[in-house]
Amino acid sequence: MAKFPVPSSPARGVIKVETFKGVDLNSSPSNVENYRSPNAPNMMRDVPGKVRKRQGYEKIKEYAGKRINGVHILRDVENGIEKELTHAGTSLYLDGEVIYEGMADERSVGRQFYGKLFIFDGKKALCYGEFETEAETADETETEGEEKPKAFMVKALEDAAYIPTVIISRNPTGGGTTLEPLNLIGRKWKESFLSDGTATTYQLTTKELDEDKVTVRIMTKEGEWEDKTEDTDFTVDRKAGTVTFKTAPVKSPVTGYDNVEITAAKTREGYADKINKCKIISLFGVNGAMDRMFVSGNPEFPNQDWYCNIADGFFWGDLWYSTLGQDGSAVVGYTIINDRLAVHKSDAEEGRNVILRKGEIEGDEAVFPIIGTLSGRGALGSHAFGYLGSEPLFLTDIGIMAITAADLTGEKYSQSRSYYIDNVLTAEKNLGDAFAYVWRDFYLISTGTGRVYLLDGLQKSYDKNSPYSNFQYECYYWENVPARVFWEDGEGRLCFGDAEGNVFRFYDDVTSQKSYNDNGEAIFARWDTPELSGKLFYKNKTFRRVDFVLAPAIATGATVFAQVKGVWSEIFDSGASAMYFDFTHINWERINFSTDDTPRTMGGKIRIKKVDKVAFSLRNERINEPFGIYSLAFEYTESGNYKG
């Protein structure tokens, strides 16, 4: 009897993904690793290795078309105080009420510093906090042991400026010892004299005084200070800068101790604006302490910065500044590494675009000398700095970079951290206007187009394709998030404001169905696979089955699409299979009476014949539906050579 051989069935191959990372927008779809996606809008890391749809947001406030320029929060945990100030348009709001008008219609920056909130917008430096309610300052009217009433209010730094004593041990005719520098942000200063008992005219260190009342204190024989009144006890020649007493002050009752104190005012052109026009800020100090504010960003002095007195944001000495590199390269921002302040400049310093400074005590003064520079790309955008974990990140024209402590002693500092999104990120228009914010374990950067890019601090990849870095962060991106600024509210919920005056808050409950809409609209989320070409790229493939595991939810699901020869077509819909039943949320059109609330495996037969490669896409575009992917698998066979 004749025997006929039975042809063997083609070997069945399986493509399985159980660990999901981020997107790869740099590589072509055929070169992306199976565990990354070439296109995954509105997806993010759930737990490391799993991905899900992002939560949506709700509108909570509106400011009549005024773009949101910043939200700054003053917190006093000990006393349970939290004040949220919104900079919208040219006004500053608290609880919906305008508390200050006339700000720049540009982004502002704010820092809480020793119990008060300091805000810089490039026009007028402001402070919000508790101040004495009386018009006169404590320096002028303080009564021993008497505490004056206080209230929360906004003040320009000029109006609350510290009054320094610039000279002591001065004779009526001149001389003396310098004590404190002039205050850039204030017009007033004090001079302390040692009376000789006969002189009636006292010469100040400067002429052309302002019309403000000159105030005088004289020590009595009993050693008490006594206030004197202009035009009653003395006269002032403002042009000459002299004070003439009707009766000569007596000799000091305490030998060698100054007994005449004169306070005057003079407007020095451009002094206050050196601070007012700043819009970049960092906290730093001696040995890395955070006890001084450093400010820069004044367009008239692009390569200079200034710092305030220790623990006093109202005293900016006229000598407390630094010139940092060439004036053709502007200061863009600051980062702090260990006990050093890194000043980032724009890309015009012949490649050495980071200047390092250290705080130390020299004599009795704090000084902040330059101790070195680092090579690399210049920073791009003063609002794109942030710390992911302990690592400082900043934006450049080629992507997001980092400085590490180990780089401080090396020749290079450029550590790329955004390889997987660089091509798309750097192609965005007006990239220098991007806004970055660190939220939980993510560095978010919004480009103003509705797209937000994320770097995941919990997932790092050591990729050979990016040799100039130790590692890369896994990346994601969101769409339909028109964030101009980000911040967190008192509950730790991520919020953002847009250019139209709207304020939104992201939902925080990842298990709630109501968390998955964008102000009432569906969130379009998908996870595309790379182009899958099997074991041998030149063979015909027939894909026979798709299976996946979705995170359980009361209402969820996935529609599967396949891309063949550039055309996407729907091939499978999970329907209600991934849901579980709960009377608290019933959708009668998509209902499943299963009470199994564990991850659901689902899938089915498909038939895509004689192709060399296929890309698949799992999508969820329904309102109020979570969407999380835990596992994904495809079965296929290979036979014959692909002929196109």
Side-chain angles (χ1 to χ4, degrees):
M1 187 171 84
K3 295 183 178 180
F4 299 95
V6 178
S8 60
S9 299
R12 181 163 297 184
V14 176
I15 299 172
K16 182 172 64 173
V17 182
E18 293 183 310
T19 298
F20 296 84
K21 295 190 176 180
V23 297
D24 182 352
L25 307 184
N26 266 20
S27 307
S28 67
S30 59
N31 291 329
V32 175
E33 299 288 350
N34 288 349
Y35 46 75
R36 292 196 182 94
S37 173
N39 185 32
N42 293 319
M43 298 293 285
M44 62 184 294
R45 184 253 303 149
D46 184 4
V47 296
K50 310 300 178 185
V51 292
R52 65 172 176 84
K53 181 196 286 189
R54 67 164 173 85
Q55 295 108 284
Y57 52 80
E58 58 182 336
K59 184 161 75 171
I60 57 175
K61 293 179 185 176
E62 186 175 353
Y63 290 90
K66 299 179 179 181
R67 60 182 183 174
I68 308 302
N69 290 314
V71 173
H72 313 294
I73 301 175
L74 176 67
R75 290 190 175 99
D76 181 348
V77 177
E78 183 177 343
N79 296 310
I81 295 172
E82 179 171 304
K83 306 280 188 177
E84 183 178 282
L85 278 62
T86 301
H87 175 193
T90 59
S91 300
L92 192 64
Y93 294 82
L94 174 64
D95 298 329
E97 300 293 329
V98 175
I99 59 173
Y100 183 87
E101 293 184 290
M103 298 182 72
D105 191 9
E106 300 291 340
R107 287 196 188 104
S108 56
V109 295
R111 291 290 187 278
Q112 184 167 325
F113 184 69
Y114 287 89
K116 288 183 169 57
L117 181 63
F118 290 81
I119 301 173
F120 294 81
D121 66 350
K123 182 178 180 181
K124 181 78 73 173
L126 303 175
C127 181
Y128 177 80
E130 279 193 300
F131 291 95
E132 293 176 358
T133 56
E134 296 180 7
E136 295 179 314
T137 66
D139 295 283
E140 296 173 327
T141 63
E142 186 173 355
T143 302
E144 189 72 26
E146 182 180 341
E147 184 173 341
K148 298 181 179 178
K150 294 182 178 181
F152 282 94
M153 64 183 76
V154 177
K155 281 195 174 186
L157 262 60
E158 297 174 34
D159 298 333
Y162 170 77
I163 302 174
T165 301
V166 299
I167 197 163
I168 59 174
S169 301
R170 185 172 174 83
N171 296 321
T173 56
T177 301
T178 300
L179 180 63
E180 294 179 312
L182 290 168
N183 191 355
L184 286 174
I185 203 68
R187 297 180 298 111
K188 294 185 177 182
W189 79 98
K190 299 176 184 178
E191 298 186 19
S192 183
F193 294 82
L194 184 62
S195 170
D196 59 9
T198 60
T200 57
T201 299
Y202 283 63
Q203 178 66 56
L204 298 176
T205 54
T206 190
K207 303 175 182 180
E208 306 293 342
L209 306 182
D210 288 348
E211 291 301 317
D212 304 61
K213 284 286 186 182
V214 172
T215 61
V216 173
R217 295 197 309 164
I218 295 179
M219 186 180 292
T220 67
K221 293 180 180 180
E222 292 76 24
E224 301 291 335
W225 286 101
E226 182 177 83
D227 294 329
K228 299 297 181 180
T229 305
E230 184 176 351
D231 296 330
T232 300
D233 302 305
F234 62 89
T235 59
V236 180
D237 184 338
R238 284 174 167 76
K239 185 175 182 179
T242 60
V243 173
T244 301
F245 293 93
K246 293 184 177 180
T247 302
V250 299
K251 282 189 175 182
S252 175
V254 181
T255 303
Y257 195 87
D258 292 353
N259 65 321
V260 176
E261 181 186 87
I262 300 175
T263 302
K266 178 181 174 67
T267 299
R268 293 171 170 84
E269 189 67 28
Y271 266 40
D273 277 349
K274 289 182 178 181
I275 305 302
N276 281 327
K277 292 186 177 181
C278 289
K279 47 194 174 184
I280 299 169
I281 184 172
S282 181
L283 302 184
F284 187 66
V286 174
N287 296 323
M290 310 290 276
D291 53 14
R292 285 176 170 85
M293 285 187 287
F294 281 69
V295 296
S296 188
N298 186 327
E300 296 175 11
F301 303 93
N303 64 328
Q304 291 187 13
D305 71 359
W306 297 263
Y307 56 90
C308 71
N309 197 21
I310 184 170
D312 187 355
F314 301 100
F315 186 15
W316 301 80
D318 63 342
L319 302 178
W320 300 341
Y321 73 96
S322 297
T323 299
L324 306 162
Q326 302 300 313
D327 58 7
S329 174
V331 174
V332 181
Y334 298 100
T335 55
I336 296 175
I337 310 154
N338 295 341
D339 61 347
R340 303 181 191 187
L341 180 66
V343 182
H344 297 257
K345 302 199 71 183
S346 57
D347 207 358
E349 290 282 359
E350 299 182 351
R352 304 191 72 82
N353 293 303
V354 174
I355 297 174
L356 298 175
R357 295 159 78 184
K358 188 174 183 179
E360 54 191 34
I361 298 296
E362 189 174 283
D364 294 329
E365 296 289 327
V367 294
F368 300 92
I370 294 172
I371 59 173
T373 59
L374 296 174
S375 300
R377 307 295 293 196
L380 185 67
S382 61
H383 297 286
F385 289 79
Y387 293 85
L388 190 53
S390 60
E391 184 170 65
L393 301 179
F394 60 99
L395 179 65
T396 73
D397 61 343
I398 61 171
I400 299 166
M401 301 288 180
I403 295 180
T404 68
D407 295 321
L408 294 179
T409 57
E411 295 182 356
K412 293 184 178 294
Y413 81 90
S414 294
Q415 290 272 322
S416 171
R417 292 292 184 258
S418 57
Y419 170 79
Y420 296 112
I421 57 173
D422 280 345
N423 286 350
V424 177
L425 173 63
T426 56
E428 294 274 4
K429 295 180 180 179
N430 301 318
L431 187 59
D433 197 43
F435 187 93
Y437 187 78
V438 175
W439 172 66
R440 297 180 181 172
D441 302 308
F442 295 97
Y443 169 93
L444 283 63
I445 184 163
S446 174
T447 59
T449 61
R451 179 172 276 200
V452 175
Y453 298 90
L454 292 81
L455 272 59
D456 183 359
L458 293 187
Q459 294 191 107
K460 301 174 183 178
S461 174
Y462 299 84
D463 197 302
K464 62 182 179 181
N465 293 322
S466 186
Y468 300 110
S469 64
N470 296 330
F471 63 85
Q472 298 293 322
Y473 291 112
E474 295 295 337
C475 303
Y476 304 89
Y477 70 95
W478 297 344
E479 291 183 338
N480 193 37
V481 181
R484 177 169 167 77
V485 294
F486 284 111
W487 69 95
E488 286 182 59
D489 66 11
E491 300 175 358
R493 291 176 61 174
L494 182 64
C495 304
F496 69 92
D498 67 13
E500 308 300 325
N502 301 305
V503 175
F504 300 95
R505 179 174 61 189
F506 279 91
Y507 296 105
D508 203 40
D509 185 353
V510 298
T511 64
S512 172
Q513 302 296 127
K514 296 180 180 180
S515 294
Y516 294 91
N517 70 86
D518 286 345
N519 201 36
E521 300 294 329
I523 302 170
F524 295 92
R526 60 192 281 183
W527 181 271
D528 291 3
T529 71
E531 292 178 347
L532 306 177
S533 55
K535 296 178 181 178
L536 300 173
F537 69 90
Y538 57 88
K539 292 291 186 181
N540 280 319
K541 263 74 67 175
T542 297
F543 284 82
R544 300 177 178 277
R545 186 171 180 87
V546 58
D547 291 275
F548 49 90
V549 178
L550 294 186
I554 296 168
T556 187
T559 304
V560 183
F561 287 75
Q563 185 188 52
V564 178
K565 296 182 178 180
V567 179
W568 288 102
S569 302
E570 182 180 332
I571 61 170
F572 182 83
D573 191 330
S574 68
S577 301
M579 304 178 183
Y580 64 84
F581 185 72
D582 189 325
F583 276 108
T584 61
H585 185 101
I586 299 177
N587 181 341
W588 295 106
E589 295 180 355
R590 292 168 53 76
I591 190 167
N592 185 336
F593 286 99
S594 171
T595 58
D596 181 3
D597 60 357
T598 61
R600 306 300 296 274
T601 301
M602 61 200 66
K605 293 181 179 179
I606 59 174
R607 191 164 181 82
I608 302 173
K609 298 177 59 177
K610 295 183 178 180
V611 295
D612 60 333
K613 60 183 178 296
V614 181
F616 294 92
S617 179
L618 274 68
R619 306 179 186 179
N620 182 291
E621 300 177 345
R622 301 185 184 96
I623 192 170
N624 292 334
E625 285 197 5
F627 175 52
I629 307 174
Y630 286 3
S631 301
L632 179 61
F634 304 94
E635 289 186 0
Y636 68 96
T637 57
E638 286 183 334
S639 63
N641 295 332
Y642 181 72
K643 297 181 180 180

